[in-house]
Amino acid sequence: MLRTYITSVSVGLLRAVKLALGVLCLMLVGCEQRSDSLIELGGSTMGTYYSVKVAHPPGGVAAEQLQAQVESVLDTVIAEISTYEETSELSRLNRDPSPDWIAVSAGLYQVIAEGQRLSALTDGAFDITIGPLVNLWGFGPEARRARVPNAAEIRAAQDRVGWNKLALRATPPAIRKARADIYIDLSSLGEGYGVDRIAALLNTQGITDYMVAIAGAIRARGVNAKGQPWAIAIEQPMPDRRAVHRVVPIADRALSTSGDYRNFFEHEGRRYSHEIDPDTGAPVEGNLGSVTVIGDTTMVVDGLATALMVLGAQRAPALAASQGLAAYFIVREGDDIRGFGSPAFQRYLAQ
Ligand code: FAD
């Protein structure tokens, strides 16, 4: 797995920087950056990139050793919950035809249970059994095919979807599928789960000032190398450019952004993104370009950002307000965009 390092730019701009640095680091194998006040690690994972910044590293923390530990955590997460690895625990569960309880690891159970909680919260708009529809629309592990499925294909995939088709048993952890062909997709939670697992590793090392990111899922603790809160960029939901919409400072919080402007295809003038509405069986429509959620743990805010994207600009703000969720919405209005926060998000806008 290629390991590259990423300089400190706003997270929203990281992808472009990673590409440039990827080339640079290909020439300098094993390049890394460390100054007295900052260790920066990074590389590819889950089809995207990760970044770990440790400010004021405690004595005895060696960058190379930390990098190896971080990658071991990522390898464990992928082995548990990836649908892109056929040998992962989740892929084996998806292939298991048993109608009985199927024992699962505590890690996989934790992610599935959070998915079911979010389904209940959003009345099924968020649904981890969405996999057959995600794959039908070409956003899953199979090869990308930018085409619009027909109504019969959508109906057939929808028959396999439904969070009420999964039963959970906490002790010992196990899952029971109402249909053998249920296909669980944890991509909406997995990046956040990976960030939380890396943060837990850093905490055990006595590291108190860090920022961990996997794509748009971020967790920050303490302060940056300058002794200030970590500043996270929310980018404009524009597919053709990278521009910062606003910067929010966070300390000891997690943040995640979901949107319709990075992973999509266009057909006959319409954009089809990877956020799928289980009710219609199709990518969500509407003018909500992105949702950013701030909260305690990254897996939760990662899933909530997807859930609110699927609910759309009409329903999502009301749920955020009623549930006290700190969410920031960016909607498209003609050629313009407008951002607004839920009541619980206002404290981040005032800073
Ligand atoms: P988010 O909004 O966080 O999630 C969008 C994803 O959620 C969609 O792509 C879909 O999978 C799912 N989803 C869509 N609608 C719903 C809904 N209504 N309810 C619930 N979920 C929904 N990608 C690769 O290309 N190569 C890889 O090797 C690879 N490996 C991965 C390994 C792991 C462990 C994980 C978790 C993901 C991996 N991915 C891989 C997928 C890639 O990381 C995803 O595209 C990404 O996780 C989606 O996150 P996001 O922030 O882009 O969008």
Side-chain angles (χ1 to χ4, degrees):
M1 183 182 291
L2 171 70
R3 300 290 177 230
T4 60
Y5 292 83
I6 297 174
T7 60
S8 55
V9 289
S10 73
V11 174
L13 306 182
L14 269 178
R15 278 204 175 115
V17 172
K18 174 194 169 244
L19 214 57
L21 279 173
V23 175
L24 177 65
C25 286
L26 271 178
M27 294 182 279
L28 310 169
V29 176
C31 65
E32 74 173 51
Q33 295 189 348
R34 170 167 189 149
S35 67
D36 285 346
S37 65
L38 186 64
I39 293 177
E40 291 184 81
L41 309 175
S44 54
T45 190
M46 301 184 196
T48 179
Y49 62 83
Y50 76 89
S51 161
V52 177
K53 292 188 195 130
V54 174
H56 323 114
V61 172
E64 302 83 358
Q65 186 188 4
L66 192 59
Q67 172 98 46
Q69 291 169 315
V70 165
E71 286 167 11
S72 171
V73 166
L74 289 170
D75 291 344
T76 301
V77 167
I78 287 167
E80 282 176 349
I81 68 168
S82 173
T83 46
Y84 289 75
E85 298 290 340
E86 288 198 356
T87 57
S88 76
E89 186 184 1
L90 177 59
S91 293
R92 297 197 308 274
L93 173 64
N94 282 336
R95 290 194 300 267
D96 191 325
S98 168
D100 300 325
W101 288 110
I102 303 168
V104 296
S105 66
L108 178 56
Y109 182 87
Q110 179 191 354
V111 187
I112 290 176
E114 177 56 23
Q116 294 294 85
R117 187 188 74 86
L118 289 175
S119 292
L121 181 73
T122 60
D123 196 20
F126 181 92
D127 184 341
I128 58 173
T129 68
I130 198 87
L133 286 168
V134 171
N135 297 346
L136 177 66
W137 284 91
F139 294 111
E142 290 104 22
R144 172 60 60 92
R145 47 187 187 157
R147 74 171 182 85
V148 177
N150 63 44
E153 290 172 316
I154 292 173
R155 261 196 315 278
Q158 279 182 301
D159 287 348
R160 297 171 55 195
V161 172
W163 66 287
N164 56 355
K165 295 181 171 77
L166 275 188
L168 273 59
R169 184 186 71 199
T171 311
I175 305 294
R176 191 167 59 197
K177 305 190 294 187
R179 290 178 55 132
D181 59 359
I182 289 275
Y183 182 101
I184 297 170
D185 173 349
L186 297 175
S187 289
S188 57
L189 296 159
E191 292 170 348
Y193 173 63
V195 168
D196 287 338
R197 293 285 295 267
I198 293 172
L201 164 75
L202 300 181
N203 294 340
T204 60
Q205 308 258 336
I207 297 171
T208 55
D209 297 315
Y210 57 77
M211 184 180 80
V212 180
I214 299 178
I218 301 156
R219 186 149 179 181
R221 184 179 170 190
V223 292
N224 64 21
K226 295 183 187 127
Q228 292 153 1
W230 297 92
I232 312 297
I234 299 174
E235 62 179 350
Q236 291 187 9
M238 300 296 180
D240 55 354
R241 70 181 113 118
R242 286 205 171 286
V244 176
H245 172 72
R246 74 177 306 137
V247 175
V248 287
I250 61 171
D252 302 336
R253 310 297 288 156
L255 174 147
S256 187
T257 297
S258 286
D260 69 354
Y261 59 101
R262 285 282 170 264
N263 196 351
F264 67 91
F265 67 87
E266 289 185 340
H267 177 73
E268 293 177 356
R270 196 197 138 189
R271 181 184 305 171
Y272 297 92
S273 88
H274 65 158
E275 318 285 1
I276 309 286
D277 181 341
D279 285 344
T280 64
V284 294
E285 295 190 64
N287 69 333
L288 184 54
S290 72
V291 179
T292 298
V293 180
I294 296 178
D296 295 334
T297 67
T298 328
M299 177 173 70
V300 171
V301 296
D302 195 7
L304 280 171
T306 305
L308 294 173
M309 267 305 290
V310 174
L311 284 172
Q314 277 63 44
R315 294 183 291 168
L319 181 75
S322 67
Q323 296 293 323
L325 304 175
Y328 188 79
F329 305 93
I330 302 181
V331 294
R332 295 187 187 91
E333 293 173 337
D335 293 337
D336 294 330
I337 59 170
R338 177 174 63 90
F340 61 95
S342 66
F345 199 94
Q346 298 309 315
R347 60 191 282 217
Y348 299 103
L349 301 178
Q351 294 177 30

